[in-house]
Amino acid sequence: MNQYAKNWQALVNAGELASALGRDDLVVLDARVLLSDRTAGEAMYRQSHIPGARYADLDRDLSDHRRTGGRHPWPDAVDFTETLGRWGIRPDSQVVVYDAADGALAASRAWFLLRALGHRDVAVLNGGWAGWTSLGLPVESGEPPAVAPTHYDASFDDERLLDADAVQAHLDAGGILIDARAAERFRGEVEPLDKVAGHVPGAVNRPYADNLREGYFKRADILAAEFSALLAGHAPDEVAVMCGSGVTACHHLLAMAHAGLDGAKLFTGSWSGWLEDPSRPVVP
């Protein structure tokens, strides 16, 4: 059992994290990424990061491009737990993840990867790197000291991870599918990344940006009211979320957990995975 009374399982604010630096159970991950330049995130990390943070690369560590299933394929549990071991993460570690883009997109992906393994004490830094630096909190550069590798033995909860066929079955059974992409992409008016514009028939749209206010997640009670209205009486485990590639959708999973509505599922391949089979229907 973790010896610390104060642990975080959804969001943590910068002041709380700053006070916890140096805890022997704490592992901080920097997940900053620029989709326009995949080398920029690690360069930013080396220049300046929260003291002791390890760098988590969206493509190398939080996805597995040797696999199929959209533009950011979900990694195999064996490979991902080896990565956790390299970072010195144990099942009882308090993990905090942050990034710099749009309210924690890559950080929420890392958060849900750990949650899908059953890791409870993992949280995202609310406000991210911008919030941390705006308060003048400590930073460091270069690589942190090496840590002794750990062994992390766990497997993903497959009931929370859906492929395209499972998503269709989910919809056929009356489940809700929430698409986190911007409204114009959902409507098929623009498509900057994938080969076909539109959305999965039966999906509803809530852009992930609706979870935020001035770069921070909305209060839990506000998010609870907004998601409850969208769910229309459905339980969280009757909900699946998607986006373009299975990254942004995790923002909804984090927001729902913050709101006390934990348990929704992820369409891991999302729109890019749906399109891998051209016979699947789309709403243009």
Side-chain angles (χ1 to χ4, degrees), residues 2-240:
N2 198 304
Q3 63 178 303
Y4 297 96
K6 182 64 175 177
N7 293 315
W8 310 294
Q9 298 177 350
L11 297 173
V12 58
N13 68 44
E16 289 176 309
L17 177 58
S19 297
L21 293 180
R23 274 174 46 168
D24 59 18
D25 72 324
L26 177 67
V27 179
V28 180
L29 299 178
D30 182 322
R32 284 178 285 174
V33 62
L34 288 180
L35 297 182
S36 59
D37 179 359
R38 297 304 176 86
T39 66
E42 191 161 11
M44 291 188 292
Y45 163 80
R46 293 183 185 280
Q47 182 179 26
S48 186
H49 54 260
I50 293 175
R54 318 280 163 190
Y55 185 67
D57 185 271
L58 175 61
D59 288 300
R60 182 184 63 230
D61 301 317
L62 308 180
S63 310
D64 187 346
H65 291 282
R66 300 169 299 180
R67 310 181 79 191
T68 59
R71 283 182 282 106
H72 289 102
W74 191 261
D76 179 79
V78 172
D79 294 330
F80 185 62
T81 54
E82 287 179 357
T83 299
L84 297 181
R86 188 174 71 248
W87 288 329
I89 294 174
R90 306 181 305 268
D92 64 347
S93 294
Q94 171 65 69
V95 182
V96 174
V97 196
Y98 69 93
D99 65 23
D102 295 332
L105 300 186
S108 63
R109 165 80 165 210
W111 172 86
F112 188 63
L113 277 159
L114 279 153
R115 287 299 289 268
L117 286 175
H119 195 108
R120 300 299 298 177
D121 293 338
V122 53
V124 167
L125 175 61
N126 200 9
W129 178 248
W132 183 270
T133 55
S134 71
L135 296 174
L137 293 170
V139 299
E140 67 181 13
S141 60
E143 290 283 353
V147 296
T150 60
H151 176 70
Y152 199 115
D153 185 15
S155 57
F156 289 123
D157 179 358
D158 291 335
E159 292 189 0
R160 297 193 69 180
L161 305 174
L162 306 184
D163 61 13
D165 290 339
V167 163
Q168 187 61 68
H170 170 82
L171 287 166
D172 292 344
I176 291 179
L177 176 62
I178 304 173
D179 190 322
R181 293 176 299 161
E184 60 270 22
R185 286 186 72 192
F186 180 81
R187 293 191 298 262
E189 296 167 3
V190 298
E191 183 44 65
L193 298 171
D194 293 304
K195 57 189 177 183
V196 176
H199 63 264
V200 174
V204 297
N205 184 221
R206 176 184 166 90
Y208 75 86
D210 288 355
N211 299 329
L212 304 171
R213 182 171 292 161
E214 297 180 349
Y216 291 81
F217 281 82
K218 295 175 181 176
R219 292 198 325 257
D221 61 323
I222 295 174
L223 287 169
E226 293 177 354
F227 274 101
S228 294
L230 186 62
L231 270 55
H234 288 75
D237 63 3
E238 297 174 311
V239 177

